[in-house]
């Protein structure tokens, strides 16, 4: 008789038992100290095996390249529709209507995916490059006048929160609210901890604002948003779905690019030889950004949920298991990347997981690259040296690795 009481949920998912042979680990990956400086945790995670059992969350985690890649890219066994955080959407209601992209599986996922991919296709990215370049040039020219600045506050935060909404066609931008909304989205991936609660406290102000901002009447007909709404006109998706896709742009495209640009500045400052190489050949900007993404994956982790009993690397995984995929760790796996902890501007880190892998891989990655390239090329052209002007400070977020402070000074010998 199955009248046993239903198991209590942990952080919104059904707890699983440790599979045989998997090390149990009483660590909290969401400990602020780990989130700010995750490398020691990543190293230990990889050393413990292909998976560990996180006893306090009764779920699995992986951080080696091979298994992280396998779980993250196999959308049939490891689904996204049950949420990519600790909560299982088949058991608990999420905080916002689920994303039609991130939190969906085929076939529903594929229709909207086609539209978002089209909205940021190479021809679209090409058409916004000049706007990115002009904005970056103007911003760097200003900073050259200041000499001493905060790479996050004065540069990394300013750029994506202005040029990306413009590329989308947002009519009334509000950079602070965009960042606050992103903080809700990415902290919601984690447990009900301090980071999640303080981000969620902004909800009453931010959620109605972002919902309205994604509606057709608040967007230009041109730009990325215009292409998405044109797909609604063509009957390919509904108008409601179009609004949800625009919401995805603002959910995924702001905090991540802020993180990537700030981390790239950090890498160039910490590696003067790389900066000298970039100055000699500004078209290395793209590789420089790619290597930054490998070393400091803006999305450090997302979960998948096993939708059936299966096995990875000989480890039995039961239906309903949440698996925390540590993308930041897979990108630093010494077994896969030679000299993984060395920033090498010439590496060409093909296969890094910072943009994900498989059918859910980042549809905005070429927009992100274009933004970073514009900024890094402007720096390469207009700045001679970069130096730290104080201690960089890393922030705490349940799924984004980011700098919150990056005090820098720059020197410019020749005035251009
Ligand atoms: C990749 C990503 C991150 C955050 C939000 C979304 C996607 C979304 O579709 O809402």
């Amino acid at each position: 008789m199955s009248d046993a009481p239903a198991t209590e949920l942990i952080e919104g998912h059904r707890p699983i038992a440790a599979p045989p042979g998997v090390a149990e680990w009483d660590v909290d990956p969401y400990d602020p100290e780990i989130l700010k400086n995750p490398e020691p945790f990543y190293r230990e995670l990889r050393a413990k095996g292909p998976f560990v059992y996180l006893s306090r969350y009764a779920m699995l985690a992986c951080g080696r390249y091979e298994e992280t890649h396998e779980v993250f890219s196999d959308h049939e066994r490891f689904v996204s529709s049950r949420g990519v955080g600790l909560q299982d959407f088949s058991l608990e209601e999420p905080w916002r209507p689920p994303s039609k992209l991130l939190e969906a599986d085929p076939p529903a996922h594929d229709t909207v995916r086609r539209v978002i991919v089209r909205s940021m296709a190479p021809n679209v990215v090409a058409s916004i490059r000049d706007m990115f370049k002009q904005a970056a040039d103007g911003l760097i020219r200003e900073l050259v006048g200041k000499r001493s600045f905060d790479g996050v506050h004065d540069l990394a935060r300013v750029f994506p929160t202005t040029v990306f909404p413009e590329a989308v066609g947002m009519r009334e931008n509000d950079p602070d609210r965009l960042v606050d909304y992103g903080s809700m989205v990415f902290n919601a991936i984690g447990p009900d901890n301090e980071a999640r609660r303080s981000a969620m406290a902004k909800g009453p102000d931010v959620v109605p604002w972002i919902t309205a901002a994604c509606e057709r009447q608040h967007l230009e007909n041109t730009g990325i948003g215009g292409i998405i709404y044109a797909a609604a006109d063509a009957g390919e998706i509904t108008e409601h779905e179009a609004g949800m896709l625009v919401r995805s742009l603002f959910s995924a495209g702001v905090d991540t690019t802020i993180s990537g640009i700030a981390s790239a500045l950090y890498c160039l400052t910490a590696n003067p030889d790389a900066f000298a190489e970039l100055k000699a050949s500004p078209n290395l900007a793209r590789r420089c950004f790619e290597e930054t993404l490998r070393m400091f994956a803006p999305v450090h982790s997302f979960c998948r949920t096993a939708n059936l009993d299966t096995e990875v690397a000989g480890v039995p995984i039961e239906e309903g298991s949440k698996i925390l995929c540590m993308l930041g760790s897979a990108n630093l796996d010494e077994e896969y990347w030679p000299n993984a902890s060395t920033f090498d501007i010439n590496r060409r880190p093909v296969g890094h997981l910072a943009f994900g892998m498989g059918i859910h891989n980042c549809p905005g990655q070429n927009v992100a690259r274009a933004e970073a390239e514009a900024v890094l090329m402007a720096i390469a052209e207009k700045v001679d040296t970069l130096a730290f002007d104080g201690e960089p400070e890393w922030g705490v977020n349940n799924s984004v690795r980011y700098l919150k402070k990056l005090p820098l000074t720059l020197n410019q010998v020749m005035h251009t």
Side-chain angles (χ1 to χ4, degrees), residues 96 98-103 181 185-186 189 244-245 247-249 251-253 256 299 302 360 362-363:
R96 59 170 195 166
S99 163
K100 305 278 181 195
L101 279 168
L102 175 73
E103 294 151 342
Y181 178 61
V185 168
F186 287 104
I189 298 301
M244 290 290 281
L245 289 185
R247 193 193 71 171
S248 281
L249 297 174
S251 300
T256 48
V299 174
F302 270 171
H360 291 283
C362 177

Side-chain angles (χ1 to χ4, degrees), residues 114-329:
R114 259 193 295 282
V115 174
I116 203 115
V117 165
R118 181 189 312 143
S119 77
M120 293 180 287
N123 65 310
V124 179
V125 178
S127 75
I128 54 189
R129 265 184 197 280
D130 270 359
M131 185 264 283
F132 285 177
K133 177 172 165 44
Q134 274 174 32
D137 287 352
L139 202 46
I140 302 304
R141 228 176 272 121
E142 244 177 75
L143 295 179
V144 165
K146 282 174 96 172
R147 297 284 292 271
S148 189
F149 65 103
D150 180 349
V152 177
H153 183 269
D154 301 325
L155 178 53
R157 264 179 75 115
V158 181
F159 194 73
T161 58
T162 51
V163 300
F164 184 58
E166 187 176 340
V168 173
M170 190 183 230
R171 284 217 166 106
E172 282 141 79
N173 188 5
D174 187 334
D176 288 338
R177 278 184 167 135
L178 277 176
V179 170
D180 287 344
Y181 178 61
S183 177
M184 292 179 73
V185 168
F186 287 104
N187 277 302
I189 298 301
D192 182 23
N193 57 11
E194 161 62 24
R196 192 182 198 275
R197 281 193 291 269
S198 71
M200 286 299 174
K202 303 267 175 81
D205 172 61
V206 165
V207 172
W209 174 79
I210 192 75
T211 305
C214 296
E215 290 168 1
R216 181 164 223 169
Q217 70 268 26
H218 295 121
L219 294 163
E220 306 294 339
N221 294 325
T222 54
I224 298 171
I227 298 172
I228 292 173
Y229 274 99
D233 291 340
E236 198 176 352
I237 56 173
T238 66
E239 184 134 336
H240 171 71
E241 285 170 330
M244 290 290 281
L245 289 185
V246 173
R247 193 193 71 171
S248 281
L249 297 174
F250 294 129
S251 300
V254 177
D255 297 46
T256 48
T257 43
I258 293 174
S259 157
I261 290 170
S263 293
L265 282 173
Y266 173 87
C267 289
L268 286 174
T269 310
N271 299 277
D273 293 350
F275 186 50
E277 268 196 73
L278 175 67
K279 277 193 66 64
S281 328
N283 58 359
L284 286 175
R286 197 181 178 92
R287 267 193 229 174
C288 173
F289 186 54
E290 223 58 34
E291 176 68 342
T292 299
L293 294 175
R294 184 190 67 82
M295 289 198 71
F296 298 100
V299 174
H300 59 70
S301 60
F302 270 171
C303 295
R304 292 291 189 253
T305 313
N307 211 33
L308 75 179
D309 292 337
T310 185
E311 192 183 298
V312 173
V315 172
I317 296 174
E318 65 179 275
E319 186 279 330
S321 301
K322 281 283 179 183
I323 306 169
L324 181 60
C325 298
M326 306 294 322
L327 307 172
S329 172

